[in-house]
Amino acid sequence: MTRTAGFLMYIAVLLFTALPHYAQSKGKEKKEFVLVIDAGHGGKDPGAIGRKGTRESNVNLSVAKQLGSLIESKYPEVKIIYTRKTDVYVSLMGRATIANKAKADLFISIHSNASKNRNARGCETFTLGAGSSAEAKAAAKYENEVILQEENYEEVYDGFDPRSSESYIIFELLRSHDMEKSVSCAEQIQRNMAKRSKLNDRGVSSAGFLVLHQTAMPSILVELGFLSNPTEEKFLASKDGQKQLAKGIFEGFETYYTNAKKMRLGDSNSKPIVVECAEERELAQDSPQNSDAPIFKVQFLVSSKKLKQNDARLKGVKADYYKDGNMYKYTYGASTDYNSIVKKRKEISKKFSEAFIVAFKNGKRIDTNKAIEEFKKNNK
C-alpha cells in the first residue's frame, strides 16, 4: 500500500469515527457551548522566531489566554478548554484529540506567520481546504511540518508527509459538513481582528492544515501577523498589540456565538431569506413538476456586506446570494438535479476550493443531507 493510499484509508476511518459524535450532538441539546482555544506551537517547538527574538509560541499563548478571559467574563455559560496554558509541547493529533473528546462546538487555533519576504504583512484566517493560493498552501505546509518532531509521525498520521505535495491531494476530497459554520466564523473573526488591530487584512483563505482536518467540529486557524516583518514583530511582541488582537478575535467570536444561539432557539430573524435568481426562475418554468423538489446550489463565499457583481472577491463568478442574519452568502448554480450541482461545485472549486453544496425548499434553506436523500428517493 502506498503512503497516499494509506492516508486515504486513515481519512475514511476518521470520518466514520466522527459520525457518532455528530449524531449525539444533534440529538441531545447541550446546556453549554464548548470552545477549544489552541495556542499553536510551544515547548520544544517555538514556531517562528522574529529578528528581535520574539517567539511565536509565546505570542500565541498570550493572545489565546486573553481571548479566553474576555469570553469567560462576558459569557460564563461558555466552557473554555485550552490545548495548553503553559509553554509545553502538544502534538497536532493531541490538540485535535482534546477538542474531539470535549465534543467542542468550535475550535480556534492561534498562530503567528512568517515569510522569507520581509515585506509580507497582515493578519489572515483559514478554514480547511485544498489551498486557495500558493501562499495558503505554503502556510499549511509550514504549520504541518511540526509533526516531523514526533518520533512516530509516519505511523500516527498514516504516511502523511508534510513536505510532499502528493500528500496534500487528499484535501481536494475533504468537504466537512461543518464547513459553512467554519467559513462564517472565519469571516467574522477576520473582519474584527483586522479592524481592531489595524493590520493589513489578508482575508479568509483555505488550506490543508492537519490540525483542522482532524477536528470533528467547525474549526478555524488564525495567523495573527508576520514575525518576519520588523514592524509587525514589534506589534505582536507588545502588550497592546496582543490585547488588540485578542479583542478583535473576541468580537468576531461574539457575533458568531450570538448567531449560533439564535439558530438554536429558532429565532426567526436568523432564518435565511432566499433571493431568487434568473437560473432558478428558468428552472421553475422548465420543470413545473419539480417545483416542490429541493433546489441545490454551490455556496462559495460569505460577506458581511452585499457585493457588487464586479467585486474582485467574486473572481468573475456570476453569483446569486441569500441573506442569513447579517451575512450575505453567495451561491453559484441552481438545480433540482443533485448530480448537476456536484459538477458545478467541481467547476467553481478551481477558484474557490472551500465551496460546498447547500439546499433550499420553498424559499428556505434546508438540511443538505436530507435534501440529497429526498433527491435519491425521487430518482430511483
Side-chain angles (χ1 to χ4, degrees), residues 106-378:
L106 180 65
F107 178 86
I108 299 178
S109 188
I110 298 176
H111 291 257
S112 303
N113 221 332
S115 172
K116 293 181 179 179
N117 177 8
R118 292 185 63 187
N119 294 321
R121 62 191 180 91
C123 56
E124 188 169 14
T125 305
F126 288 93
T127 59
L128 179 65
S132 51
S133 68
E135 288 183 335
K137 291 177 180 178
K141 179 175 177 291
Y142 171 77
E143 297 295 356
N144 291 340
E145 284 182 351
V146 68
I147 70 172
L148 299 178
Q149 298 189 38
E150 301 176 37
E151 292 183 1
N152 59 339
Y153 79 90
E154 290 185 328
E155 178 181 348
V156 173
Y157 301 94
D158 207 3
F160 182 86
D161 184 350
R163 300 161 298 186
S164 170
S165 58
E166 183 184 28
S167 289
Y168 289 84
I169 294 174
I170 186 63
F171 294 108
E172 294 283 359
L173 307 177
L174 289 175
R175 285 296 179 272
S176 169
H177 84 294
D178 282 323
M179 179 61 76
E180 181 180 10
K181 292 180 180 178
S182 297
V183 172
S184 177
C185 181
E187 288 279 353
Q188 295 290 355
I189 284 180
Q190 177 61 28
R191 180 167 62 87
N192 284 278
M193 180 172 58
K195 181 180 179 181
R196 173 67 69 168
S197 68
K198 295 182 172 55
L199 293 176
N200 178 47
D201 186 354
R202 294 172 66 90
V204 174
S205 303
S206 67
F209 291 94
L210 275 174
V211 73
L212 297 185
H213 113 270
Q214 290 163 1
T215 54
M217 74 285 304
S219 306
I220 67 168
L221 185 145
V222 173
E223 293 282 6
L224 302 171
F226 283 80
L227 285 171
S228 51
N229 182 301
T231 302
E232 288 197 358
E233 178 186 4
K234 184 177 180 180
F235 180 76
L236 292 173
S238 69
K239 290 183 178 180
D240 182 64
Q242 294 169 9
K243 179 180 179 181
Q244 296 309 318
L245 287 163
K247 281 187 175 180
I249 298 173
F250 165 74
E251 289 164 355
F253 166 80
E254 184 172 41
T255 301
Y256 174 83
Y257 176 59
T258 300
N259 289 337
K261 285 199 299 183
K262 287 181 180 179
M263 293 298 288
R264 283 187 176 185
L265 295 174
D267 189 328
S268 60
N269 291 327
S270 67
K271 292 180 180 179
I273 301 172
V274 177
V275 180
E276 189 177 44
C277 65
E279 290 173 296
E280 194 170 321
R281 288 195 295 271
E282 292 168 3
L283 177 70
Q285 293 169 359
D286 294 341
S287 308
Q289 71 276 16
N290 292 327
S291 60
D292 193 43
I295 295 176
F296 298 96
K297 300 183 180 184
V298 182
Q299 184 171 311
F300 64 92
L301 185 68
V302 178
S303 174
S304 59
K305 295 181 179 180
K306 184 178 178 180
L307 305 178
K308 294 181 179 179
Q309 278 295 332
N310 62 351
D311 192 290
R313 284 169 286 186
L314 294 175
K315 300 181 181 180
V317 174
K318 186 179 180 181
D320 183 23
Y321 72 87
Y322 67 97
K323 193 174 181 184
D324 185 355
N326 295 321
M327 303 302 289
Y328 292 86
K329 300 184 176 183
Y330 286 83
T331 62
Y332 174 66
S335 177
T336 56
D337 183 354
Y338 174 70
N339 295 321
S340 173
I341 288 300
V342 169
K343 294 178 181 178
K344 289 282 189 181
R345 191 208 63 76
K346 185 176 181 180
E347 176 185 326
I348 200 173
S349 66
K350 296 175 182 178
K351 292 184 177 180
F352 297 92
S353 63
E354 63 270 29
F356 55 96
I357 296 173
V358 293
F360 300 85
K361 193 172 185 179
N362 299 323
K364 294 182 179 180
R365 174 77 186 276
I366 62 174
D367 182 86
T368 304
N369 290 328
K370 289 182 179 179
I372 294 172
E373 289 301 317
E374 184 174 339
F375 168 78
K376 290 179 178 179
K377 183 179 179 180
N378 295 335

Side-chain angles (χ1 to χ4, degrees), residues 68-140:
S69 295
L70 289 169
I71 295 172
E72 288 173 328
S73 295
K74 187 165 184 179
Y75 301 104
E77 74 276 16
V78 175
K79 182 178 181 180
I80 306 291
I81 296 176
Y82 299 90
T83 57
R84 69 181 182 94
K85 295 188 74 174
T86 58
D87 188 24
V88 295
Y89 176 79
V90 184
S91 69
L92 292 188
M93 182 68 80
R95 297 168 192 270
T97 298
I98 290 171
N100 292 337
K101 283 186 176 181
K103 297 180 181 177
D105 295 280
L106 180 65
F107 178 86
I108 299 178
S109 188
I110 298 176
H111 291 257
S112 303
N113 221 332
S115 172
K116 293 181 179 179
N117 177 8
R118 292 185 63 187
N119 294 321
R121 62 191 180 91
C123 56
E124 188 169 14
T125 305
F126 288 93
T127 59
L128 179 65
S132 51
S133 68
E135 288 183 335
K137 291 177 180 178

